[in-house]
Amino acid sequence: MEKFAALKELIASAEKDAKAFYEKGNKAAGTRLRNALQNTKALAQEIRNEVTAKKNAK
């Protein structure tokens, strides 16, 4: 559950950069957003692997 909370926090923190990129055209914010999305993808994959392992362990 800790990783899921971290995932939610990561997405919430990326919202500021998303707004800056899409609404203001800030290219640096776009780079930060892409990085946050990559980290989100990796963390989501870790969570998926944990869920699968726990599901199959029962």
Side-chain angles (χ1 to χ4, degrees):
M1 204 57 193
E2 291 175 19
K3 286 188 179 183
F4 187 75
L7 180 63
K8 288 179 12 180
E9 184 178 316
L10 184 59
I11 291 172
S13 68
E15 185 175 3
K16 179 182 175 186
D17 289 325
K19 285 183 181 179
F21 176 70
Y22 285 111
E23 294 175 2
K24 299 177 183 174
N26 185 330
K27 290 182 181 181
T31 300
R32 290 189 301 270
L33 178 59
R34 286 173 41 91
N35 186 35
L37 291 172
Q38 186 65 36
N39 292 339
T40 300
K41 178 183 172 185
L43 185 54
Q45 186 63 49
E46 287 179 31
I47 294 169
R48 288 189 62 194
N49 292 341
E50 284 181 6
V51 169
T52 301
K54 188 168 186 165
K55 183 180 76 168
N56 292 337
K58 291 186 178 183

